[in-house]
Amino acid sequence: MTDPLDKINAVLPGRWDVDALRAGAGVTLVFAVPFFVFAALLDSDSNGTNTLLFFGFVLGFTLGAGCAAWVQRAGAPFSHGIVTASGTFLVVQAILILVALLRGSTINWLSIFFTLTFVAFAGLMGGILGNRLQRRGFVPSQRRSR
């Protein structure tokens, strides 16, 4: 049985492809969030370690956003990339803020905003990559003709 929302998304262009957002968020959770959580737990003073973890973090968000942009069917790869990256970051950050508040730790709001701008940029880059994949004819496996 088909989902009625599939018909609505197909009829109304510009709508969010929720399956694409979920897929991108899943990829982001697997590839970016471990770097983010490890950096928060490690709290290293080494610039080399922090830089390596940050680039892994940004690449993971770019990969997840690119996945969402590539598999979306709404014709909005850039929006899907940015929303996937930013939304996933904000959900994970909200959980970490809650943990920090429960532990009585201080929260660096400027750092969170600064990181969010990098994540949104990574989402845009992922959107560009996903868009290029679509334009070159690379099709996700679930849409290939058998």
Side-chain angles (χ1 to χ4, degrees):
M1 182 169 190
T2 62
D3 186 12
L5 290 179
D6 288 340
K7 292 179 183 177
I8 293 172
N9 284 338
V11 173
L12 299 173
R15 303 273 304 188
W16 294 107
D17 187 341
V18 178
D19 291 336
L21 294 174
R22 281 189 202 130
V27 170
T28 300
L29 287 172
V30 169
F31 289 102
V33 174
F35 287 103
F36 186 63
V37 173
F38 187 65
L41 294 174
L42 184 64
D43 197 25
S44 173
D45 288 336
S46 168
N47 286 336
T49 303
N50 290 339
T51 303
L52 180 66
L53 291 173
F54 186 75
F55 280 119
F57 167 76
V58 171
L59 285 173
F61 273 98
T62 304
L63 183 63
C67 175
W70 180 45
V71 301
Q72 60 82 31
R73 295 165 289 184
F78 305 122
S79 299
H80 279 75
I82 293 169
V83 167
T84 297
S86 300
T88 306
F89 173 77
L90 290 173
V91 168
V92 171
Q93 191 63 54
I95 293 168
L96 292 175
I97 289 171
L98 183 62
V99 170
L101 290 174
L102 291 174
R103 292 177 62 192
S105 302
T106 60
I107 299 169
N108 188 345
W109 295 102
L110 184 60
S111 173
I112 293 170
F113 179 74
F114 178 75
T115 306
L116 179 60
T117 59
F118 269 97
V119 167
F121 183 72
L124 178 62
M125 292 298 104
I128 290 170
L129 293 173
N131 186 37
R132 285 190 177 180
L133 285 173
Q134 281 186 345
R135 286 180 179 237
R136 291 191 179 178
F138 291 102
V139 180
S141 61
Q142 71 264 22
R143 283 192 259 154
R144 287 187 192 141
S145 61
R146 301 197 185 242

